[in-house]
């Protein structure tokens, strides 16, 4: 907690308690004054708290970015299938290890050629 945040939260707590004590003794206008002053301090405490959390979050993100920058670029993923490698990432084959939603969809003509190639390789093997 910052010094301002602590001071505002402590002040609001003390004023709220003082208001409760004066309410217990039926001193109503003093109760109103204490609680009104507490209500003045609470938004400031909340604002200070949010600003502190924002500063901490920004510092954490900057530290993560600096750490990532020292690591260098991420390694490229390995080829998932032979068709992907030979088509330079444009299409995937039947032996692809990627989930179907992540694959590039072949057009009908491309799929027919791929099936024909697959049949030809089975016949020769
Ligand atoms: Zn693939």
């Amino acid at each position: 907690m910052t010094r301002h945040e602590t001071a505002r939260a402590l002040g609001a707590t003390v004023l709220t308690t003082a208001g409760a004590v004066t309410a217990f003794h039926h001193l109503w206008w003093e109760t109103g004054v204490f609680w009104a002053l507490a209500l003045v301090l609470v938004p400031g405490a909340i604002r200070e708290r949010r600003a502190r959390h924002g500063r901490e979050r920004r510092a954490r993100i900057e530290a993560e970015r600096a750490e990532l920058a020292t690591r260098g670029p991420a390694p490229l993923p390995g080829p998932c299938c032979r068709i992907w490698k030979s088509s330079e990432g444009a299409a995937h084959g039947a032996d692809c290890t990627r989930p179907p939603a992540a694959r590039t969809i072949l057009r009908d003509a491309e799929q027919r050629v791929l099936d024909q190639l697959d049949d030809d390789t089975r016949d020769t093997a």
Side-chain angles (χ1 to χ4, degrees):
M1 288 177 100
T2 64
R3 195 174 52 194
H4 288 175
E5 182 183 353
T6 304
R8 289 175 194 262
L10 183 63
T13 303
V14 168
L15 287 169
T16 302
T17 305
V21 169
T22 53
F24 183 74
H25 292 288
H26 304 284
L27 302 169
W28 300 115
W29 73 268
E30 291 91 346
T31 301
V33 169
F34 284 135
W35 285 354
L37 289 174
L39 285 177
V40 168
L41 292 180
V42 166
I46 292 171
R47 189 176 54 244
E48 292 286 334
R49 179 182 167 87
R50 285 183 181 160
R52 179 174 55 89
H53 281 273
R55 285 191 301 271
E56 289 172 354
R57 192 185 80 241
R58 281 192 294 277
R60 190 173 54 246
I61 289 172
E62 287 175 8
E64 288 173 2
R65 285 182 181 166
E67 182 186 336
L68 287 176
T70 58
R71 286 186 197 169
L76 293 174
C80 53
C81 57
R82 288 178 294 157
I83 300 295
W84 183 82
K85 191 174 181 180
S86 62
S87 68
E88 297 178 357
H92 296 266
D95 61 337
C96 183
T97 57
R98 286 189 184 188
R103 298 181 196 167
T104 305
I105 298 172
L106 295 177
R107 285 184 235 123
D108 289 340
E110 292 169 333
Q111 187 64 48
R112 276 195 301 273
V113 169
L114 184 64
D115 292 341
Q116 184 67 38
L117 284 173
D118 205 27
D119 290 342
D120 290 346
T121 53
R122 277 194 202 134
D123 290 341
T124 58

